[in-house]
Amino acid sequence: GESVGLHLPTLSVQEGDNSIINCAYSNSASDYFIWYKQESGKGPQFIIDIRSNMDKRQGQRVTVLLNKTVKHLSLQIAATQPGDSAVYFCAENVSFKAAGNKLTFGGGTRVLVKP
Amino acid sequence: DSGVTQTPKHLITATGQRVTLRCSPRSGDLSVYWYQQSLDQGLQFLIQYYNGEERAKGNILERFSAQQFPDLHSELNLSSLELGDSALYFCASSGTTGSVPNEQYFGPGTRLTVT
């Protein structure tokens, strides 16, 4: 498969350990945030989202934390598995007039799970 | 499978040519988004349509245009192609209504190679 990017920061994690991926966003007007996972040769896959009126949201094995004070977002993956190996992107949304919105993606973090 | 389909999967064409990429959103989704993913620029938002109307615009070149048809499928037209237009082009759809954004589901992408 092809690489999404040649110079992505990489997080190596042992299978079974927890992973934390961090993301700094730029726009204080962003009202909604999403984490995506992208495997080689595929489109981004939705993992979890959080609205700006929340600071934590949990899904299955994943937790997203939002700190609006420092414009920081993190994704925690519990008990990381080989299938979690991928590139992870955070995205921030700014809404315009009714049904108008724009997602801005971060540069991505490559997660490598070691067996 | 996200439910978003894109055709073709691969496209190879020469500089100066024009191509059309096609996207069918998930059933019931009124919003369609187009993104470009290149190695040096990452994932970039191009344009959004909602129920046939343009609603948000990103870094879309004047040589590029898009439309959404009454059956909600969308086409992205790229003309006067340059080598730098070589990239993955993704379509995403969402059930966004009103001013509340929702998760965007991505298609598998079209890989465009300009020679």
Side-chain angles (χ1 to χ4, degrees):
Chain A
E2 64 271 344
S3 298
V4 173
L6 294 178
H7 303 292
L8 292 175
T10 298
L11 174 68
S12 289
V13 59
Q14 202 70 38
E15 181 178 355
D17 287 352
N18 297 334
S19 304
I20 299 177
I21 306 165
N22 295 302
C23 176
Y25 66 93
S26 56
N27 193 337
S28 55
S30 295
D31 56 2
Y32 176 62
F33 303 86
I34 310 179
W35 280 98
Y36 284 95
K37 170 187 179 184
Q38 188 173 25
E39 296 172 290
S40 185
K42 297 185 178 180
Q45 176 189 349
F46 173 84
I47 302 174
I48 191 167
D49 59 1
I50 188 166
R51 302 198 185 272
S52 58
N53 60 353
M54 303 172 70
D55 52 23
K56 181 179 179 178
R57 189 154 190 244
Q58 287 185 287
Q60 195 173 25
R61 279 200 311 119
V62 293
T63 300
V64 56
L65 298 177
L66 174 62
N67 185 330
K68 291 184 289 294
T69 303
V70 295
K71 296 209 278 288
H72 183 268
L73 196 64
S74 68
L75 177 70
Q76 301 175 5
I77 305 174
T80 313
Q81 302 169 358
D84 295 328
S85 292
V87 177
Y88 289 79
F89 293 95
C90 65
E92 55 179 307
N93 178 85
V94 173
S95 294
F96 303 110
K97 59 184 178 180
N101 58 290
K102 171 184 171 180
L103 272 185
T104 301
F105 281 79
T109 297
R110 190 181 304 277
V111 171
L112 290 174
V113 181
K114 297 177 288 186
Chain B
D1 184 357
S2 67
V4 179
T5 60
Q6 288 187 249
T7 56
K9 286 192 78 150
H10 301 276
L11 201 48
I12 301 175
T13 190
T15 54
Q17 295 299 304
R18 172 190 168 95
V19 296
T20 298
L21 313 183
R22 184 187 166 107
C23 166
S24 291
R26 292 188 320 158
S27 177
D29 283 356
L30 297 179
S31 275
V32 168
Y33 307 79
W34 286 98
Y35 293 86
Q36 180 192 60
Q37 186 174 40
S38 59
L39 285 178
D40 57 347
Q41 293 288 319
L43 261 164
Q44 299 279 318
F45 168 73
L46 295 177
I47 198 164
Q48 177 206 1
Y49 278 82
Y50 175 81
N51 203 21
E53 291 183 4
E54 181 186 306
R55 285 300 175 101
K57 218 165 183 175
N59 302 321
I60 188 166
L61 299 171
E62 284 196 17
R63 301 183 284 111
F64 296 1
S65 65
Q67 58 185 131
Q68 186 180 26
F69 295 87
D71 67 352
L72 302 177
H73 91 271
S74 178
E75 292 180 355
L76 179 68
N77 300 297
L78 315 176
S79 62
S80 303
L81 285 167
E82 302 174 0
L83 295 178
D85 297 327
S86 296
L88 275 165
Y89 290 85
F90 288 105
C91 167
S93 76
S94 92
T96 295
T97 57
S99 58
V100 179
N102 289 305
E103 61 268 29
Q104 296 182 21
Y105 292 91
F106 281 73
T110 292
R111 174 164 288 285
L112 173 67
T113 302
V114 182
T115 61

